[in-house]
Each structure stands twice: as C-alpha cells, then as structure tokens.
Amino acid sequence: MEKLRGTVTELRRGKTVSHNPKTGTSVIHAAVFRLDGQLVKIVSAAPLVIAEGQELLVVGKRRAKLFTAYAHRNLTTGQEGHEGWATRLLVTILVVTGALWLGGMMGGDYGVVFGIVFLALGVAMAWRSLEVVQALVMLRR
C-alpha cells in the first residue's frame, strides 16, 4: 500500500447504472486520470468530487502502469472517499455462510468442492475489504 499526492490532469469520468427489480438501482462511479504523470483509477459507489487541476491524495496499490486507489482525499475541497468495504464484507459473510451450509447439505465430494470454492472466493473478497480499511487508515494519518 502506498500514497500518491499530486495534481489531477487528463481526467475522465464514467458511471455504470444497473437496475434489479429485487435489489433496486445501483450506481458505480469511476474516474481515470493522471496524478503528476502517474495513471490512477478510482471506483466508488458515491459520486467522486474531483476536477481537473485539483490536488489529490490517494492510497492504494500500483499494478503495472496503473495505480488503483482504494481511498482518496481531495486536498483542494477536503472531500474524502473510498472504494467501499462494509457492504462487500457483509455480503461476503452471508454468501460464504450460505454456500458452506448448502455444501454441507449436498454432502460428499461435490459438497466439499462447492464449500472450498466459495470459501476461497469469500477470503479474496474479505481481503479486499481489509485492504480498503488499511487504505483509509493510511489516508487519515
């Protein structure tokens, strides 16, 4: 996990809106920009308060040439945001619990494989939630 600080340039925004009759409408906001030359991506459920020329502090991970920000603070406006962790962690717990229960009901080798696969997916999602929390702690230091 590392911090980057700089001025936003080449800002591009996008959002995805999806509707499910059972769960309602969800919106994912995204921004890709350069922060003093480094390509940065931010994804959030909340609208991103970022504009060209503003100073930003981001915390996340660099993968190849792209820096994925898990948490950010707009130093110009004071606005803060993050990728989100609580909902992902809650859904992970519910899905893994349900999958393990269903795997136990299935029994045999299929139940074991089913349980292992969902447990591995749950661990990966929980790990990402913990990374976002770690980024928030680093951002606020």
Side-chain angles (χ1 to χ4, degrees), residues 5 8-9 13 17 29 44 50 66 76-77 85 87 101 103 107 125-126 128-129:
R5 181 180 179 152
V8 175
T9 58
R13 300 168 171 274
V17 180
H29 301 270
S44 175
I50 301 170
L66 180 67
T76 306
T77 64
W85 62 272
T87 303
W101 174 80
M125 287 180 68
R128 182 63 174 254
S129 294

PDB file of all heavy atoms in Angstrom, residues 5 8-9 13 17 29 44 50 66 76-77 85 87 101 103 107 125-126 128-129:
ATOM      1  N   ARG A   5       0.462  11.761  -4.063  1.00  0.00           N
ATOM      2  CA  ARG A   5      -0.105  13.103  -3.921  1.00  0.00           C
ATOM      3  C   ARG A   5       0.287  13.895  -5.151  1.00  0.00           C
ATOM      4  O   ARG A   5       1.426  13.825  -5.600  1.00  0.00           O
ATOM      5  CB  ARG A   5       0.457  13.763  -2.666  1.00  0.00           C
ATOM      6  CG  ARG A   5      -0.083  15.132  -2.420  1.00  0.00           C
ATOM      7  CD  ARG A   5       0.518  15.718  -1.168  1.00  0.00           C
ATOM      8  NE  ARG A   5       0.006  17.047  -0.950  1.00  0.00           N
ATOM      9  CZ  ARG A   5      -0.111  17.604   0.228  1.00  0.00           C
ATOM     10  NH1 ARG A   5       0.276  16.948   1.302  1.00  0.00           N
ATOM     11  NH2 ARG A   5      -0.599  18.810   0.346  1.00  0.00           N
ATOM     12  N   VAL A   8      -4.378  16.676 -10.405  1.00  0.00           N
ATOM     13  CA  VAL A   8      -5.168  15.888 -11.352  1.00  0.00           C
ATOM     14  C   VAL A   8      -5.084  16.503 -12.747  1.00  0.00           C
ATOM     15  O   VAL A   8      -5.338  17.697 -12.924  1.00  0.00           O
ATOM     16  CB  VAL A   8      -6.649  15.820 -10.905  1.00  0.00           C
ATOM     17  CG1 VAL A   8      -7.500  15.108 -11.943  1.00  0.00           C
ATOM     18  CG2 VAL A   8      -6.772  15.153  -9.558  1.00  0.00           C
ATOM     19  N   THR A   9      -4.733  15.651 -13.728  1.00  0.00           N
ATOM     20  CA  THR A   9      -4.751  16.046 -15.135  1.00  0.00           C
ATOM     21  C   THR A   9      -5.366  14.909 -15.951  1.00  0.00           C
ATOM     22  O   THR A   9      -5.441  13.777 -15.486  1.00  0.00           O
ATOM     23  CB  THR A   9      -3.339  16.346 -15.681  1.00  0.00           C
ATOM     24  OG1 THR A   9      -2.514  15.192 -15.510  1.00  0.00           O
ATOM     25  CG2 THR A   9      -2.703  17.539 -14.982  1.00  0.00           C
ATOM     26  N   ARG A  13     -14.220  10.568 -16.613  1.00  0.00           N
ATOM     27  CA  ARG A  13     -15.190  10.025 -15.661  1.00  0.00           C
ATOM     28  C   ARG A  13     -16.133   9.060 -16.361  1.00  0.00           C
ATOM     29  O   ARG A  13     -16.351   9.148 -17.553  1.00  0.00           O
ATOM     30  CB  ARG A  13     -16.042  11.126 -15.059  1.00  0.00           C
ATOM     31  CG  ARG A  13     -15.310  12.166 -14.328  1.00  0.00           C
ATOM     32  CD  ARG A  13     -16.265  13.320 -14.048  1.00  0.00           C
ATOM     33  NE  ARG A  13     -15.674  14.264 -13.160  1.00  0.00           N
ATOM     34  CZ  ARG A  13     -15.703  14.178 -11.851  1.00  0.00           C
ATOM     35  NH1 ARG A  13     -16.326  13.196 -11.266  1.00  0.00           N
ATOM     36  NH2 ARG A  13     -15.132  15.091 -11.106  1.00  0.00           N
ATOM     37  N   VAL A  17     -24.882   2.345 -14.289  1.00  0.00           N
ATOM     38  CA  VAL A  17     -26.146   2.269 -13.562  1.00  0.00           C
ATOM     39  C   VAL A  17     -26.789   0.938 -13.910  1.00  0.00           C
ATOM     40  O   VAL A  17     -26.946   0.601 -15.076  1.00  0.00           O
ATOM     41  CB  VAL A  17     -27.098   3.421 -13.944  1.00  0.00           C
ATOM     42  CG1 VAL A  17     -28.404   3.322 -13.182  1.00  0.00           C
ATOM     43  CG2 VAL A  17     -26.424   4.759 -13.714  1.00  0.00           C
ATOM     44  N   HIS A  29     -19.450   4.746  -9.705  1.00  0.00           N
ATOM     45  CA  HIS A  29     -18.760   5.887 -10.292  1.00  0.00           C
ATOM     46  C   HIS A  29     -17.289   5.521 -10.463  1.00  0.00           C
ATOM     47  O   HIS A  29     -16.711   4.855  -9.604  1.00  0.00           O
ATOM     48  CB  HIS A  29     -18.870   7.110  -9.378  1.00  0.00           C
ATOM     49  CG  HIS A  29     -20.281   7.520  -9.115  1.00  0.00           C
ATOM     50  ND1 HIS A  29     -20.943   8.420  -9.913  1.00  0.00           N
ATOM     51  CD2 HIS A  29     -21.170   7.128  -8.174  1.00  0.00           C
ATOM     52  CE1 HIS A  29     -22.166   8.584  -9.455  1.00  0.00           C
ATOM     53  NE2 HIS A  29     -22.329   7.806  -8.399  1.00  0.00           N
ATOM     54  N   SER A  44     -15.981   4.004  -7.012  1.00  0.00           N
ATOM     55  CA  SER A  44     -16.707   4.289  -5.784  1.00  0.00           C
ATOM     56  C   SER A  44     -18.216   4.197  -6.007  1.00  0.00           C
ATOM     57  O   SER A  44     -18.696   4.456  -7.106  1.00  0.00           O
ATOM     58  CB  SER A  44     -16.352   5.698  -5.301  1.00  0.00           C
ATOM     59  OG  SER A  44     -17.110   6.068  -4.184  1.00  0.00           O
ATOM     60  N   ILE A  50     -13.997  15.295  -7.899  1.00  0.00           N
ATOM     61  CA  ILE A  50     -12.655  15.503  -8.432  1.00  0.00           C
ATOM     62  C   ILE A  50     -12.792  16.346  -9.690  1.00  0.00           C
ATOM     63  O   ILE A  50     -13.669  16.100 -10.510  1.00  0.00           O
ATOM     64  CB  ILE A  50     -11.992  14.154  -8.806  1.00  0.00           C
ATOM     65  CG1 ILE A  50     -11.898  13.240  -7.596  1.00  0.00           C
ATOM     66  CG2 ILE A  50     -10.615  14.370  -9.413  1.00  0.00           C
ATOM     67  CD1 ILE A  50     -11.488  11.823  -7.943  1.00  0.00           C
ATOM     68  N   LEU A  66      -0.691   1.112 -13.786  1.00  0.00           N
ATOM     69  CA  LEU A  66      -1.913   1.694 -13.226  1.00  0.00           C
ATOM     70  C   LEU A  66      -1.897   1.642 -11.704  1.00  0.00           C
ATOM     71  O   LEU A  66      -1.624   0.606 -11.116  1.00  0.00           O
ATOM     72  CB  LEU A  66      -3.137   0.935 -13.758  1.00  0.00           C
ATOM     73  CG  LEU A  66      -4.497   1.412 -13.273  1.00  0.00           C
ATOM     74  CD1 LEU A  66      -4.791   2.804 -13.831  1.00  0.00           C
ATOM     75  CD2 LEU A  66      -5.569   0.437 -13.707  1.00  0.00           C
ATOM     76  N   THR A  76      -7.968  19.953  -2.242  1.00  0.00           N
ATOM     77  CA  THR A  76      -8.500  21.261  -2.629  1.00  0.00           C
ATOM     78  C   THR A  76      -9.844  21.525  -1.954  1.00  0.00           C
ATOM     79  O   THR A  76     -10.093  22.620  -1.448  1.00  0.00           O
ATOM     80  CB  THR A  76      -8.655  21.347  -4.161  1.00  0.00           C
ATOM     81  OG1 THR A  76      -7.398  21.030  -4.770  1.00  0.00           O
ATOM     82  CG2 THR A  76      -9.107  22.726  -4.597  1.00  0.00           C
ATOM     83  N   THR A  77     -10.728  20.518  -1.926  1.00  0.00           N
ATOM     84  CA  THR A  77     -12.075  20.699  -1.370  1.00  0.00           C
ATOM     85  C   THR A  77     -12.247  20.078   0.020  1.00  0.00           C
ATOM     86  O   THR A  77     -13.222  20.361   0.705  1.00  0.00           O
ATOM     87  CB  THR A  77     -13.133  20.061  -2.288  1.00  0.00           C
ATOM     88  OG1 THR A  77     -12.922  18.643  -2.326  1.00  0.00           O
ATOM     89  CG2 THR A  77     -13.080  20.645  -3.681  1.00  0.00           C
ATOM     90  N   TRP A  85     -16.201  -0.860   1.742  1.00  0.00           N
ATOM     91  CA  TRP A  85     -15.737  -2.117   2.331  1.00  0.00           C
ATOM     92  C   TRP A  85     -16.818  -2.815   3.138  1.00  0.00           C
ATOM     93  O   TRP A  85     -16.895  -4.033   3.161  1.00  0.00           O
ATOM     94  CB  TRP A  85     -14.515  -1.887   3.207  1.00  0.00           C
ATOM     95  CG  TRP A  85     -14.790  -0.988   4.379  1.00  0.00           C
ATOM     96  CD1 TRP A  85     -14.713   0.368   4.403  1.00  0.00           C
ATOM     97  CD2 TRP A  85     -15.208  -1.379   5.681  1.00  0.00           C
ATOM     98  NE1 TRP A  85     -15.067   0.846   5.633  1.00  0.00           N
ATOM     99  CE2 TRP A  85     -15.367  -0.213   6.450  1.00  0.00           C
ATOM    100  CE3 TRP A  85     -15.465  -2.611   6.276  1.00  0.00           C
ATOM    101  CZ2 TRP A  85     -15.779  -0.244   7.774  1.00  0.00           C
ATOM    102  CZ3 TRP A  85     -15.865  -2.633   7.606  1.00  0.00           C
ATOM    103  CH2 TRP A  85     -16.011  -1.447   8.335  1.00  0.00           C
ATOM    104  N   THR A  87     -20.237  -3.092   2.936  1.00  0.00           N
ATOM    105  CA  THR A  87     -21.232  -3.889   2.211  1.00  0.00           C
ATOM    106  C   THR A  87     -20.591  -5.147   1.641  1.00  0.00           C
ATOM    107  O   THR A  87     -21.153  -6.241   1.731  1.00  0.00           O
ATOM    108  CB  THR A  87     -21.863  -3.062   1.074  1.00  0.00           C
ATOM    109  OG1 THR A  87     -22.437  -1.890   1.641  1.00  0.00           O
ATOM    110  CG2 THR A  87     -22.917  -3.855   0.339  1.00  0.00           C
ATOM    111  N   TRP A 101     -23.261 -23.871   4.168  1.00  0.00           N
ATOM    112  CA  TRP A 101     -24.451 -24.605   4.595  1.00  0.00           C
ATOM    113  C   TRP A 101     -24.968 -25.485   3.458  1.00  0.00           C
ATOM    114  O   TRP A 101     -25.273 -26.658   3.651  1.00  0.00           O
ATOM    115  CB  TRP A 101     -25.531 -23.623   5.047  1.00  0.00           C
ATOM    116  CG  TRP A 101     -26.825 -24.293   5.366  1.00  0.00           C
ATOM    117  CD1 TRP A 101     -27.147 -24.955   6.512  1.00  0.00           C
ATOM    118  CD2 TRP A 101     -27.963 -24.387   4.508  1.00  0.00           C
ATOM    119  NE1 TRP A 101     -28.426 -25.453   6.419  1.00  0.00           N
ATOM    120  CE2 TRP A 101     -28.953 -25.118   5.201  1.00  0.00           C
ATOM    121  CE3 TRP A 101     -28.250 -23.926   3.234  1.00  0.00           C
ATOM    122  CZ2 TRP A 101     -30.192 -25.397   4.657  1.00  0.00           C
ATOM    123  CZ3 TRP A 101     -29.482 -24.187   2.692  1.00  0.00           C
ATOM    124  CH2 TRP A 101     -30.443 -24.922   3.405  1.00  0.00           C
ATOM    125  N   GLY A 103     -23.271 -26.538   0.850  1.00  0.00           N
ATOM    126  CA  GLY A 103     -22.278 -27.590   0.617  1.00  0.00           C
ATOM    127  C   GLY A 103     -22.431 -28.726   1.602  1.00  0.00           C
ATOM    128  O   GLY A 103     -22.295 -29.902   1.256  1.00  0.00           O
ATOM    129  N   GLY A 107     -23.433 -32.715   0.697  1.00  0.00           N
ATOM    130  CA  GLY A 107     -22.644 -33.852   1.148  1.00  0.00           C
ATOM    131  C   GLY A 107     -21.718 -34.381   0.073  1.00  0.00           C
ATOM    132  O   GLY A 107     -21.732 -33.956  -1.073  1.00  0.00           O
ATOM    133  N   MET A 125     -12.582 -11.747  -1.242  1.00  0.00           N
ATOM    134  CA  MET A 125     -13.408 -10.541  -1.083  1.00  0.00           C
ATOM    135  C   MET A 125     -13.178  -9.891   0.282  1.00  0.00           C
ATOM    136  O   MET A 125     -13.118  -8.659   0.388  1.00  0.00           O
ATOM    137  CB  MET A 125     -14.882 -10.887  -1.264  1.00  0.00           C
ATOM    138  CG  MET A 125     -15.251 -11.165  -2.702  1.00  0.00           C
ATOM    139  SD  MET A 125     -16.997 -11.568  -2.909  1.00  0.00           S
ATOM    140  CE  MET A 125     -17.777 -10.014  -2.525  1.00  0.00           C
ATOM    141  N   ALA A 126     -13.037 -10.692   1.316  1.00  0.00           N
ATOM    142  CA  ALA A 126     -12.776 -10.145   2.650  1.00  0.00           C
ATOM    143  C   ALA A 126     -11.412  -9.459   2.684  1.00  0.00           C
ATOM    144  O   ALA A 126     -11.249  -8.411   3.315  1.00  0.00           O
ATOM    145  CB  ALA A 126     -12.856 -11.249   3.702  1.00  0.00           C
ATOM    146  N   ARG A 128      -9.939  -7.920   0.221  1.00  0.00           N
ATOM    147  CA  ARG A 128     -10.068  -6.629  -0.442  1.00  0.00           C
ATOM    148  C   ARG A 128     -10.712  -5.604   0.499  1.00  0.00           C
ATOM    149  O   ARG A 128     -10.305  -4.446   0.550  1.00  0.00           O
ATOM    150  CB  ARG A 128     -10.887  -6.776  -1.726  1.00  0.00           C
ATOM    151  CG  ARG A 128     -11.062  -5.506  -2.531  1.00  0.00           C
ATOM    152  CD  ARG A 128      -9.715  -4.966  -3.035  1.00  0.00           C
ATOM    153  NE  ARG A 128      -9.881  -3.842  -3.902  1.00  0.00           N
ATOM    154  CZ  ARG A 128      -9.726  -3.876  -5.219  1.00  0.00           C
ATOM    155  NH1 ARG A 128      -9.372  -4.982  -5.804  1.00  0.00           N
ATOM    156  NH2 ARG A 128      -9.906  -2.795  -5.934  1.00  0.00           N
ATOM    157  N   SER A 129     -11.702  -6.035   1.275  1.00  0.00           N
ATOM    158  CA  SER A 129     -12.325  -5.141   2.254  1.00  0.00           C
ATOM    159  C   SER A 129     -11.313  -4.664   3.279  1.00  0.00           C
ATOM    160  O   SER A 129     -11.280  -3.488   3.642  1.00  0.00           O
ATOM    161  CB  SER A 129     -13.482  -5.845   2.965  1.00  0.00           C
ATOM    162  OG  SER A 129     -14.522  -6.107   2.072  1.00  0.00           O
TER     163      SER A 129
END
